[in-house]
Amino acid sequence: MTVRTATPYLTLSGNAEEAIRFYQRQLGATVESLLRFGEMMPQCSEAQREPVMHAELRIGHAVIFLSDGGPEVTSGSSRLSIALQGDDPDEARHGFAALAESGSVIEPIGEAPWDDLYGAVEDRFGVSWMFNCTIPK
């Protein structure tokens, strides 16, 4: 996969808003974008509408992503992933399959509600990788 960026992705099991405020106060972070589950998935339950699906914070020249995570994230846990952004769907599928071969699929690669190709896999070393790839129109 032709990777354009590799970004740390924090999954904070319900603490994303608190973390955003903390990083703003302590590190001068600015919120570049913030999407809630209800904005991207109108069919989700009422309880899942407000949590943060995806946020992008800028800290100086650096960017981090964070989320409350979905129902698979247990309360009080947090997880660090690496989000790879690319522009070649075939290469994204290949890289995903290569890591999944000796690892485990977290979310199968396929078209996401935000119109990109997306999938998540944990490699054999326990590292979580998120593949997000622009689908040519």
Side-chain angles (χ1 to χ4, degrees), residues 31-86:
V31 177
E32 298 284 310
S33 67
L34 190 145
L35 295 169
R36 301 188 183 280
F37 280 95
E39 295 170 324
M40 292 303 295
M41 300 176 352
Q43 74 282 9
C44 70
S45 71
E46 192 62 36
Q48 192 61 28
R49 297 186 77 64
E50 286 302 309
V52 175
M53 179 180 186
H54 175 80
E56 180 178 332
L57 300 184
R58 180 165 299 281
I59 303 169
H61 295 291
V63 171
I64 63 169
F65 296 155
L66 50 84
S67 172
D68 280 315
E72 77 285 354
V73 178
T74 58
S75 179
S77 69
S78 62
R79 182 173 72 208
L80 172 65
S81 301
I82 300 170
L84 300 177
Q85 178 66 45

Side-chain angles (χ1 to χ4, degrees), residues 6-37:
T7 305
Y9 203 116
L10 310 174
T11 304
L12 299 168
S13 71
N15 295 315
E17 295 227 31
E18 181 182 351
I20 290 168
R21 289 190 301 274
F22 178 77
Y23 297 143
Q24 286 175 313
R25 204 173 43 251
Q26 302 301 96
L27 301 175
T30 57
V31 177
E32 298 284 310
S33 67
L34 190 145
L35 295 169
R36 301 188 183 280
F37 280 95

